[in-house]
Coordinates of all heavy atoms in Angstrom, one line a residue:
G59 N -114.6 -40.3 83.1 CA -114.9 -38.8 82.7 C -116.3 -38.6 83.1 O -117.2 -38.3 82.2
C60 N -116.6 -38.4 84.4 CA -117.9 -38.1 84.8 C -118.4 -36.7 84.5 O -119.6 -36.4 84.6 CB -118.2 -38.4 86.2 SG -117.2 -37.5 87.4
G61 N -117.5 -35.8 84.4 CA -117.8 -34.5 84.2 C -118.6 -33.8 85.3 O -118.3 -33.9 86.4
H62 N -119.7 -33.2 84.8 CA -120.6 -32.5 85.8 C -121.5 -33.5 86.6 O -122.3 -33.2 87.4 CB -121.6 -31.6 85.2 CG -120.8 -30.4 84.6 ND1 -120.5 -30.3 83.2 CD2 -120.1 -29.4 85.2 CE1 -119.7 -29.1 82.9 NE2 -119.6 -28.6 84.2
G63 N -121.3 -34.8 86.3 CA -122.0 -35.9 87.1 C -123.4 -36.4 86.7 O -124.0 -37.1 87.3
L64 N -123.8 -35.8 85.5 CA -125.3 -36.2 85.0 C -125.6 -37.7 85.0 O -126.5 -38.2 85.6 CB -125.7 -35.5 83.8 CG -126.9 -35.9 83.2 CD1 -128.1 -35.4 84.2 CD2 -127.2 -35.3 81.8
V65 N -124.6 -38.5 84.3 CA -124.8 -39.8 84.1 C -124.7 -40.6 85.5 O -125.4 -41.5 85.8 CB -123.9 -40.3 83.0 CG1 -124.0 -42.0 83.0 CG2 -124.2 -39.9 81.7
S66 N -123.6 -40.2 86.3 CA -123.4 -40.8 87.6 C -124.7 -40.5 88.4 O -125.1 -41.6 89.1 CB -122.2 -40.1 88.3 OG -121.1 -40.2 87.5
L67 N -125.2 -39.4 88.6 CA -126.4 -39.2 89.3 C -127.6 -40.0 88.9 O -128.3 -40.4 89.6 CB -126.7 -37.6 89.3 CG -125.7 -36.7 90.0 CD1 -125.9 -35.3 89.7 CD2 -125.6 -37.1 91.4
L68 N -127.8 -40.0 87.5 CA -129.0 -40.9 87.0 C -128.8 -42.3 87.4 O -129.7 -43.0 87.7 CB -129.1 -40.7 85.5 CG -129.6 -39.4 85.0 CD1 -129.4 -39.3 83.4 CD2 -131.0 -39.2 85.4
A69 N -127.4 -42.8 87.3 CA -127.3 -44.2 87.6 C -127.5 -44.4 89.2 O -128.1 -45.5 89.4 CB -125.7 -44.5 87.3
A70 N -127.0 -43.6 89.8 CA -127.3 -43.7 91.4 C -128.8 -43.5 91.8 O -129.3 -44.3 92.7 CB -126.6 -42.6 92.2
E71 N -129.5 -42.7 91.1 CA -130.9 -42.5 91.4 C -131.8 -43.8 90.9 O -132.8 -44.2 91.6 CB -131.5 -41.3 90.7 CG -133.0 -41.1 90.9 CD -133.5 -39.8 90.0 OE1 -133.0 -39.7 88.9 OE2 -134.4 -39.2 90.6
E72 N -131.3 -44.4 90.0 CA -132.1 -45.5 89.3 C -132.3 -46.7 90.2 O -133.3 -47.6 90.0 CB -131.4 -45.9 88.0 CG -132.1 -47.0 87.2 CD -131.4 -47.3 86.1 OE1 -130.5 -48.2 86.0 OE2 -131.8 -46.8 84.8
H73 N -131.3 -47.1 91.0 CA -131.3 -48.3 91.9 C -130.8 -48.1 93.2 O -129.7 -47.6 93.4 CB -130.5 -49.4 91.1 CG -130.6 -50.7 91.7 ND1 -130.2 -51.1 92.8 CD2 -131.5 -51.8 91.2 CE1 -130.5 -52.4 93.0 NE2 -131.3 -52.7 92.1
E74 N -131.7 -48.4 94.3 CA -131.2 -48.1 95.8 C -130.0 -48.9 96.1 O -129.2 -48.4 97.0 CB -132.4 -48.5 96.6 CG -133.4 -47.3 96.7 CD -134.6 -47.6 97.7 OE1 -134.2 -48.4 98.8 OE2 -135.7 -47.3 97.4
G75 N -129.8 -50.1 95.6 CA -128.6 -50.9 95.8 C -127.3 -50.6 95.2 O -126.2 -51.2 95.4
R76 N -127.4 -49.6 94.4 CA -126.3 -49.2 93.6 C -125.3 -48.1 94.2 O -126.0 -47.1 94.6 CB -126.7 -48.8 92.2 CG -125.5 -48.4 91.2 CD -126.2 -48.0 89.7 NE -126.7 -49.2 89.2 CZ -127.8 -49.2 88.4 NH1 -128.3 -48.0 88.0 NH2 -128.3 -50.3 87.9
H77 N -124.1 -48.2 94.2 CA -123.2 -47.2 94.6 C -122.3 -46.8 93.4 O -121.7 -47.6 92.7 CB -122.2 -47.4 95.8 CG -121.4 -46.3 96.2 ND1 -121.9 -45.4 97.0 CD2 -120.2 -46.0 95.7 CE1 -120.8 -44.5 97.1 NE2 -119.8 -44.8 96.4
V78 N -122.3 -45.6 93.1 CA -121.8 -45.0 91.8 C -120.4 -44.2 92.2 O -120.6 -43.3 93.1 CB -122.6 -44.0 91.1 CG1 -122.0 -43.6 89.8 CG2 -123.9 -44.9 90.6
V79 N -119.3 -44.4 91.6 CA -118.1 -43.6 91.7 C -117.9 -42.9 90.4 O -117.6 -43.6 89.4 CB -116.9 -44.5 92.2 CG1 -115.7 -43.8 92.3 CG2 -117.3 -45.3 93.4
G80 N -117.9 -41.6 90.5 CA -117.6 -40.8 89.2 C -116.2 -40.3 89.3 O -115.8 -39.8 90.5
V81 N -115.5 -40.3 88.3 CA -114.1 -39.8 88.2 C -113.8 -38.9 87.1 O -114.4 -39.0 86.1 CB -113.0 -41.0 88.3 CG1 -113.1 -41.8 89.5 CG2 -113.1 -41.8 87.1
D82 N -113.1 -37.8 87.4 CA -112.7 -36.9 86.3 C -111.4 -36.3 86.6 O -111.0 -36.2 87.8 CB -113.9 -35.9 86.2 CG -113.9 -35.4 84.7 OD1 -112.9 -34.7 84.3 OD2 -114.8 -35.5 84.0
I83 N -110.8 -35.6 85.7 CA -109.5 -34.9 85.8 C -109.8 -33.4 86.2 O -108.9 -32.7 86.5 CB -108.5 -35.0 84.7 CG1 -109.0 -34.5 83.3 CG2 -108.2 -36.5 84.6 CD1 -108.2 -34.6 82.2
D84 N -111.1 -33.0 85.9 CA -111.4 -31.5 86.0 C -112.1 -31.3 87.3 O -113.2 -31.6 87.6 CB -112.4 -31.2 84.9 CG -112.7 -29.8 84.8 OD1 -112.8 -29.1 85.8 OD2 -112.9 -29.3 83.6
A85 N -111.3 -30.7 88.3 CA -111.8 -30.4 89.6 C -113.0 -29.5 89.8 O -114.0 -29.7 90.5 CB -110.7 -29.7 90.5
A86 N -113.2 -28.5 88.8 CA -114.2 -27.7 88.7 C -115.6 -28.4 88.4 O -116.6 -28.2 89.1 CB -114.0 -26.5 87.8
K87 N -115.4 -29.3 87.4 CA -116.7 -30.2 87.2 C -117.0 -31.0 88.2 O -118.2 -31.2 88.6 CB -116.5 -31.0 85.8 CG -116.3 -30.1 84.6 CD -116.1 -31.0 83.2 CE -116.0 -30.0 82.1 NZ -115.8 -30.9 80.9
L88 N -116.1 -31.5 88.9 CA -116.3 -32.5 90.1 C -117.0 -31.8 91.3 O -117.9 -32.2 91.9 CB -115.1 -33.1 90.5 CG -114.4 -34.1 89.7 CD1 -113.1 -34.5 90.2 CD2 -115.4 -35.4 89.6
E89 N -116.7 -30.5 91.4 CA -117.3 -29.7 92.4 C -118.8 -29.5 92.0 O -119.7 -29.5 92.9 CB -116.6 -28.3 92.7 CG -115.4 -28.4 93.5 CD -115.7 -29.2 94.8 OE1 -116.6 -28.7 95.6 OE2 -115.0 -30.0 95.3
D90 N -119.1 -29.2 90.7 CA -120.4 -29.0 90.3 C -121.2 -30.4 90.6 O -122.3 -30.3 91.0 CB -120.4 -28.7 88.8 CG -120.0 -27.4 88.6 OD1 -120.0 -26.4 89.5 OD2 -119.6 -27.1 87.4
A91 N -120.6 -31.4 90.3 CA -121.2 -32.8 90.4 C -121.5 -32.9 91.9 O -122.7 -33.4 92.3 CB -120.3 -33.8 89.9
R92 N -120.6 -32.7 92.8 CA -120.9 -32.8 94.3 C -122.0 -32.0 94.7 O -122.8 -32.3 95.5 CB -119.5 -32.5 94.9 CG -118.5 -33.6 94.8 CD -117.2 -33.3 95.7 NE -116.3 -34.2 95.4 CZ -115.1 -33.9 94.7 NH1 -114.8 -32.7 94.3 NH2 -114.1 -34.9 94.5
R93 N -122.1 -30.7 94.2 CA -123.1 -29.7 94.6 C -124.5 -30.4 94.1 O -125.5 -30.3 94.8 CB -122.9 -28.5 94.1 CG -122.0 -27.6 94.9 CD -122.0 -26.1 94.5 NE -121.5 -25.9 93.3 CZ -120.2 -25.7 92.8 NH1 -119.3 -25.8 93.9 NH2 -119.8 -25.5 91.7
A94 N -124.5 -30.9 92.8 CA -125.7 -31.4 92.3 C -126.2 -32.6 93.2 O -127.4 -32.8 93.5 CB -125.6 -31.8 90.9
A95 N -125.3 -33.4 93.6 CA -125.6 -34.6 94.3 C -126.1 -34.4 95.8 O -127.0 -35.0 96.3 CB -124.5 -35.6 94.4
A96 N -125.6 -33.3 96.4 CA -125.8 -32.9 97.8 C -127.4 -32.7 98.0 O -127.8 -33.0 99.1 CB -125.1 -31.7 98.0
G97 N -128.1 -32.3 97.1 CA -129.5 -32.1 97.3 C -130.4 -33.1 97.0 O -131.6 -33.0 96.9
T98 N -129.9 -34.3 96.7 CA -130.6 -35.6 96.4 C -130.8 -36.5 97.4 O -130.1 -36.6 98.4 CB -130.0 -36.1 95.2 OG1 -128.9 -36.9 95.6 CG2 -129.8 -35.2 94.0
P99 N -132.0 -37.3 97.5 CA -132.2 -38.3 98.5 C -131.2 -39.5 98.3 O -131.0 -40.4 99.2 CB -133.5 -38.8 98.2 CG -133.9 -38.4 97.0 CD -133.1 -37.1 96.6
F100 N -130.4 -39.6 97.2 CA -129.5 -40.7 96.9 C -128.0 -40.2 97.1 O -127.1 -40.9 96.7 CB -129.8 -41.4 95.7 CG -129.9 -40.4 94.5 CD1 -128.6 -40.0 93.8 CD2 -131.2 -39.8 94.1 CE1 -128.7 -39.1 92.7 CE2 -131.1 -39.0 93.1 CZ -130.0 -38.5 92.4
A101 N -127.8 -39.1 97.6 CA -126.4 -38.5 97.8 C -125.4 -39.5 98.4 O -124.2 -39.5 97.9 CB -126.5 -37.2 98.5
Q102 N -125.9 -40.2 99.3 CA -124.9 -41.3 100.0 C -124.5 -42.4 99.0 O -123.6 -43.1 99.3 CB -125.6 -41.7 101.3 CG -126.6 -42.6 101.0 CD -128.0 -42.1 100.7 OE1 -128.2 -40.8 100.6 NE2 -129.2 -42.8 100.4
R103 N -125.1 -42.5 97.9 CA -124.8 -43.5 97.0 C -124.0 -43.2 95.7 O -123.7 -44.0 95.0 CB -126.1 -44.3 96.6 CG -127.0 -44.8 97.6 CD -128.0 -45.8 96.9 NE -128.7 -45.3 95.8 CZ -130.0 -44.8 96.0 NH1 -130.5 -44.5 97.2 NH2 -130.6 -44.3 94.9
V104 N -123.5 -41.9 95.9 CA -122.7 -41.4 94.7 C -121.5 -40.6 95.3 O -121.7 -39.9 96.2 CB -123.4 -40.6 93.7 CG1 -124.0 -39.4 94.4 CG2 -122.6 -40.2 92.4
T105 N -120.3 -41.0 94.8 CA -118.9 -40.4 95.2 C -118.3 -39.9 93.9 O -118.3 -40.6 92.9 CB -118.1 -41.5 95.9 OG1 -118.9 -42.0 96.9 CG2 -116.9 -40.9 96.3
F106 N -117.7 -38.7 94.1 CA -117.0 -38.1 93.0 C -115.6 -37.9 93.4 O -115.3 -37.5 94.5 CB -117.4 -36.8 92.5 CG -118.9 -37.0 92.0 CD1 -120.1 -36.7 92.7 CD2 -119.1 -37.4 90.7 CE1 -121.3 -36.8 92.2 CE2 -120.4 -37.6 90.1 CZ -121.5 -37.2 90.8
R107 N -114.6 -38.5 92.5 CA -113.2 -38.4 92.9 C -112.4 -37.8 91.8 O -112.7 -38.1 90.5 CB -112.6 -39.8 93.0 CG -113.2 -40.7 94.1 CD -112.4 -42.0 94.3 NE -113.0 -43.0 94.9 CZ -112.9 -44.3 94.8 NH1 -112.1 -44.8 94.0 NH2 -113.6 -45.1 95.7
S108 N -111.4 -37.1 92.2 CA -110.4 -36.5 91.1 C -109.4 -37.4 90.9 O -108.8 -38.2 91.7 CB -109.8 -35.2 91.8 OG -108.9 -34.7 90.9
I109 N -109.0 -37.7 89.5 CA -107.8 -38.5 89.3 C -107.0 -37.6 88.3 O -107.3 -36.6 87.7 CB -108.4 -39.8 88.5 CG1 -109.2 -39.3 87.1 CG2 -109.2 -40.7 89.4 CD1 -109.6 -40.6 86.2
E110 N -105.8 -38.1 88.2 CA -104.8 -37.4 87.2 C -104.9 -38.1 85.9 O -105.3 -39.2 85.6 CB -103.4 -37.8 87.7 CG -103.2 -37.2 89.1 CD -103.2 -35.7 89.1 OE1 -102.7 -35.1 88.1 OE2 -103.6 -35.2 90.1
P111 N -104.5 -37.3 84.9 CA -104.7 -37.9 83.4 C -103.9 -39.1 83.4 O -102.7 -39.3 83.9 CB -103.9 -36.6 82.7 CG -104.1 -35.4 83.4 CD -104.1 -35.9 84.8
G112 N -104.4 -40.0 82.9 CA -103.8 -41.5 82.7 C -104.1 -42.4 83.9 O -103.8 -43.6 83.8
E113 N -104.5 -41.9 85.0 CA -104.9 -42.6 86.3 C -106.1 -43.3 86.1 O -107.2 -42.7 85.4 CB -104.8 -41.7 87.4 CG -105.1 -42.5 88.7 CD -105.2 -41.4 89.8 OE1 -105.0 -40.3 89.7 OE2 -105.4 -42.0 90.9
L114 N -106.2 -44.5 86.5 CA -107.5 -45.2 86.5 C -107.9 -45.7 88.0 O -106.9 -45.9 88.7 CB -107.4 -46.5 85.7 CG -107.2 -46.3 84.3 CD1 -106.9 -47.7 83.6 CD2 -108.4 -45.6 83.6
P115 N -109.1 -45.6 88.3 CA -109.4 -46.2 89.7 C -109.1 -47.7 89.8 O -109.3 -48.3 88.8 CB -111.0 -46.0 89.7 CG -111.3 -45.0 88.6 CD -110.2 -45.2 87.6
T116 N -108.7 -48.0 91.0 CA -108.3 -49.4 91.2 C -109.6 -50.0 91.7 O -110.5 -49.5 92.1 CB -107.2 -49.5 92.3 OG1 -107.6 -48.9 93.5 CG2 -106.0 -48.9 91.8
G117 N -109.6 -51.4 91.6 CA -110.6 -52.2 92.1 C -111.3 -53.1 90.9 O -110.8 -53.0 89.8
T118 N -112.2 -53.8 91.3 CA -113.0 -54.6 90.3 C -114.5 -54.0 90.4 O -115.0 -53.6 91.4 CB -113.1 -56.0 90.9 OG1 -111.7 -56.5 90.9 CG2 -113.8 -56.9 89.8
W119 N -115.0 -53.7 89.2 CA -116.2 -53.0 89.0 C -117.2 -53.8 88.3 O -117.0 -54.5 87.3 CB -116.0 -51.7 88.2 CG -114.9 -50.8 88.9 CD1 -113.5 -50.9 88.6 CD2 -115.1 -49.9 89.9 NE1 -112.9 -50.0 89.5 CE2 -113.7 -49.5 90.3 CE3 -116.2 -49.5 90.6 CZ2 -113.6 -48.5 91.3 CZ3 -116.0 -48.5 91.5 CH2 -114.8 -48.0 92.0
D120 N -118.5 -53.7 88.8 CA -119.6 -54.3 88.1 C -119.9 -53.6 86.6 O -120.5 -54.3 85.8 CB -120.9 -54.3 88.8 CG -120.7 -55.1 90.3 OD1 -120.1 -56.2 90.1 OD2 -121.3 -54.7 91.2
A121 N -119.6 -52.4 86.6 CA -119.9 -51.6 85.4 C -118.9 -50.5 85.3 O -118.5 -49.9 86.3 CB -121.2 -51.1 85.3
V122 N -118.4 -50.2 84.0 CA -117.6 -48.9 83.8 C -118.3 -48.3 82.7 O -118.6 -48.8 81.6 CB -116.1 -49.5 83.3 CG1 -115.4 -48.2 83.0 CG2 -115.5 -50.2 84.6
V123 N -118.5 -47.1 83.0 CA -119.2 -46.2 81.9 C -118.3 -45.0 81.5 O -117.7 -44.4 82.5 CB -120.5 -45.6 82.5 CG1 -121.1 -44.7 81.5 CG2 -121.4 -46.8 82.9
M124 N -118.0 -44.8 80.2 CA -117.3 -43.8 79.7 C -118.0 -42.8 79.0 O -118.7 -43.3 77.9 CB -116.1 -44.2 78.9 CG -115.0 -44.9 79.7 SD -113.7 -45.4 78.6 CE -113.3 -46.9 79.1
V125 N -118.1 -41.5 79.4 CA -119.1 -40.6 78.6 C -118.1 -39.5 78.0 O -117.5 -38.8 78.8 CB -120.2 -40.0 79.6 CG1 -121.0 -39.1 78.7 CG2 -120.9 -41.2 80.1
D126 N -118.1 -39.4 76.7 CA -117.4 -38.3 76.0 C -115.9 -38.2 76.5 O -115.4 -37.1 76.8 CB -118.1 -36.9 76.3 CG -119.4 -37.0 75.7 OD1 -119.8 -37.7 74.7 OD2 -120.4 -36.1 76.0
V127 N -115.3 -39.4 76.6 CA -113.8 -39.4 76.9 C -112.9 -39.8 75.7 O -111.9 -39.1 75.5 CB -113.6 -40.4 78.0 CG1 -112.0 -40.6 78.5 CG2 -114.3 -39.9 79.2
L128 N -113.3 -40.7 74.9 CA -112.4 -41.3 74.0 C -111.9 -40.3 72.9 O -110.8 -40.3 72.5 CB -113.0 -42.5 73.3 CG -113.1 -43.7 74.3 CD1 -113.7 -44.9 73.5 CD2 -111.8 -44.2 74.9
Y129 N -112.8 -39.5 72.5 CA -112.5 -38.5 71.5 C -111.4 -37.6 71.8 O -110.7 -36.9 71.0 CB -113.7 -37.6 71.1 CG -114.1 -36.6 72.0 CD1 -113.8 -35.3 71.7 CD2 -114.9 -36.7 73.1 CE1 -114.0 -34.2 72.6 CE2 -115.2 -35.8 73.9 CZ -114.8 -34.5 73.7 OH -115.1 -33.4 74.6
L130 N -111.2 -37.5 73.2 CA -110.0 -36.6 73.7 C -108.7 -37.3 73.6 O -107.7 -36.6 73.8 CB -110.2 -36.2 75.2 CG -111.6 -35.5 75.5 CD1 -111.9 -35.4 76.9 CD2 -111.5 -34.1 74.9
L131 N -108.7 -38.5 73.3 CA -107.5 -39.3 73.3 C -107.0 -39.7 71.8 O -107.8 -39.9 71.1 CB -107.7 -40.6 74.1 CG -108.1 -40.3 75.6 CD1 -108.3 -41.7 76.3 CD2 -107.0 -39.6 76.4
A132 N -105.6 -39.9 71.7 CA -105.1 -40.5 70.5 C -105.5 -41.9 70.4 O -105.9 -42.6 71.5 CB -103.6 -40.4 70.4
P133 N -105.7 -42.4 69.2 CA -106.1 -43.8 69.0 C -105.5 -44.9 69.9 O -106.1 -45.7 70.4 CB -105.9 -44.1 67.4 CG -106.0 -42.7 66.9 CD -105.4 -41.8 67.9
E134 N -104.1 -44.9 69.9 CA -103.5 -45.8 70.9 C -103.9 -45.6 72.2 O -104.0 -46.7 73.0 CB -102.0 -45.7 70.8 CG -101.2 -46.6 71.5 CD -99.7 -46.6 71.2 OE1 -99.3 -46.4 70.1 OE2 -98.9 -46.5 72.3
A135 N -104.0 -44.5 72.7 CA -104.4 -44.3 74.1 C -105.9 -44.7 74.4 O -106.3 -45.2 75.4 CB -104.3 -42.7 74.6
Q136 N -106.7 -44.5 73.3 CA -108.1 -45.0 73.4 C -108.1 -46.5 73.6 O -108.9 -47.1 74.4 CB -108.9 -44.8 72.1 CG -109.1 -43.2 71.9 CD -109.7 -42.9 70.6 OE1 -110.2 -44.0 69.8 NE2 -109.9 -41.7 70.2
Q137 N -107.4 -47.3 72.8 CA -107.3 -48.7 72.9 C -106.8 -49.2 74.2 O -107.3 -50.1 74.9 CB -106.3 -49.4 71.8 CG -106.9 -49.2 70.4 CD -106.0 -49.6 69.4 OE1 -104.8 -49.9 69.5 NE2 -106.5 -49.6 68.1
Q138 N -105.8 -48.4 74.7 CA -105.2 -48.7 76.1 C -106.3 -48.6 77.2 O -106.5 -49.4 78.1 CB -104.0 -47.9 76.4 CG -102.7 -48.3 75.6 CD -101.7 -47.2 75.7 OE1 -101.8 -46.2 76.3 NE2 -100.4 -47.8 75.2
L139 N -107.0 -47.4 77.1 CA -108.1 -47.1 78.1 C -109.2 -48.3 78.1 O -109.6 -48.8 79.0 CB -108.7 -45.8 78.0 CG -109.7 -45.3 79.0 CD1 -109.3 -45.5 80.3 CD2 -110.1 -44.0 78.5
L140 N -109.6 -48.6 76.9 CA -110.6 -49.6 76.7 C -110.3 -51.0 77.3 O -110.9 -51.5 77.9 CB -111.1 -49.7 75.3 CG -111.9 -48.5 74.7 CD1 -112.0 -48.6 73.2 CD2 -113.3 -48.5 75.5
A141 N -109.0 -51.3 77.0 CA -108.4 -52.6 77.5 C -108.3 -52.6 78.9 O -108.7 -53.6 79.6 CB -106.9 -52.8 76.9
A142 N -107.9 -51.4 79.5 CA -107.7 -51.3 81.0 C -109.1 -51.4 81.7 O -109.4 -52.0 82.8 CB -106.9 -50.0 81.4
A143 N -110.1 -50.7 81.1 CA -111.4 -50.8 81.7 C -112.1 -52.2 81.6 O -112.6 -52.6 82.5 CB -112.2 -49.7 80.8
A144 N -111.8 -52.8 80.5 CA -112.3 -54.2 80.4 C -111.6 -55.1 81.5 O -112.3 -56.0 82.0 CB -112.2 -54.7 78.9
D145 N -110.4 -54.9 81.6 CA -109.6 -55.8 82.6 C -110.0 -55.6 84.0 O -109.9 -56.5 84.9 CB -108.1 -55.4 82.6 CG -107.5 -56.0 81.4 OD1 -108.0 -56.9 80.6 OD2 -106.2 -55.5 81.0
C146 N -110.7 -54.5 84.4 CA -111.1 -54.2 85.8 C -112.5 -54.6 86.1 O -113.1 -54.5 87.1 CB -110.8 -52.8 86.2 SG -111.8 -51.6 85.5
L147 N -113.2 -55.2 85.0 CA -114.6 -55.7 85.2 C -114.7 -56.9 86.1 O -113.9 -57.8 85.8 CB -115.3 -55.8 83.9 CG -115.5 -54.6 83.0 CD1 -116.1 -54.9 81.6 CD2 -116.6 -53.6 83.8
A148 N -115.7 -56.9 87.0 CA -116.1 -58.2 87.6 C -116.6 -59.2 86.5 O -117.1 -58.7 85.4 CB -117.0 -57.9 88.8
P149 N -116.6 -60.5 86.9 CA -117.3 -61.4 86.1 C -118.7 -61.0 85.7 O -119.5 -60.7 86.7 CB -117.2 -62.8 86.8 CG -116.0 -62.5 87.7 CD -116.0 -61.1 88.0
G150 N -119.2 -61.1 84.4 CA -120.5 -60.6 84.0 C -120.6 -59.0 84.0 O -121.6 -58.5 83.7
G151 N -119.5 -58.4 84.3 CA -119.6 -56.8 84.3 C -119.7 -56.4 82.9 O -119.6 -56.9 81.9
V152 N -120.1 -55.1 82.8 CA -120.3 -54.4 81.6 C -119.6 -53.2 81.4 O -119.4 -52.4 82.3 CB -121.9 -54.2 81.4 CG1 -122.5 -53.2 82.5 CG2 -122.2 -53.6 80.0
L153 N -119.2 -52.9 80.1 CA -118.4 -51.7 79.7 C -119.3 -51.0 78.7 O -119.7 -51.4 77.8 CB -117.2 -52.0 79.1 CG -116.3 -50.9 78.5 CD1 -115.9 -49.9 79.5 CD2 -115.2 -51.4 77.8
V154 N -119.7 -49.7 79.1 CA -120.6 -48.9 78.4 C -119.7 -47.6 77.9 O -119.1 -47.0 78.7 CB -121.8 -48.4 79.1 CG1 -122.7 -47.4 78.2 CG2 -122.6 -49.6 79.5
V155 N -119.8 -47.4 76.5 CA -118.8 -46.3 76.0 C -119.9 -45.4 75.2 O -120.5 -45.9 74.2 CB -117.7 -46.7 75.2 CG1 -116.9 -45.6 74.7 CG2 -116.8 -47.7 76.1
K156 N -119.8 -44.0 75.5 CA -120.5 -43.1 74.6 C -119.6 -42.2 74.1 O -118.7 -41.6 74.8 CB -121.5 -42.4 75.6 CG -122.2 -41.2 74.6 CD -122.6 -40.1 75.5 CE -123.2 -38.9 74.6 NZ -122.2 -38.1 74.2

């Protein structure tokens, strides 16, 4: 749930070797995030993707960050999302939930 991309942009700006992929179900928020990224020197290190409700990005990730997502879900869906996020972490990866 990257929303308008604030946390994604901060994460991309923080480290030159980091590539950040922000995902959200809200197309309008993603467009705002893309516009915000376009004017930065680190724009090539951040990507924003639209996903469908219940969809998760595929792959193995060094970190998964969820910002203001869990409160939108029923308790069972929260548990499923957290388990799925933990399952896609690379060895030593970190899961951050706000």
Side-chain angles (χ1 to χ4, degrees):
C60 68
H62 296 101
L64 178 62
V65 172
S66 299
L67 294 171
L68 288 171
E71 180 183 35
E72 184 180 83
H73 192 281
E74 285 187 27
R76 181 179 294 151
H77 182 83
V78 177
V79 179
V81 298
D82 205 292
I83 62 172
D84 188 325
K87 287 181 181 177
L88 289 169
E89 281 306 312
D90 290 342
R92 289 181 186 113
R93 276 194 297 277
T98 69
F100 51 86
Q102 70 282 359
R103 296 195 317 266
V104 62
T105 304
F106 294 102
R107 294 186 201 159
S108 179
I109 59 171
E110 295 297 320
E113 179 184 359
L114 297 174
T116 58
T118 302
W119 304 91
D120 295 324
V122 174
V123 178
M124 290 184 223
V125 178
D126 297 336
V127 173
L128 293 181
Y129 79 96
L130 298 168
L131 304 174
E134 184 176 306
Q136 291 176 6
Q137 292 175 353
Q138 291 172 347
L139 179 58
L140 289 170
D145 286 345
C146 71
L147 289 173
V152 62
L153 175 60
V154 178
V155 180
K156 176 209 174 272

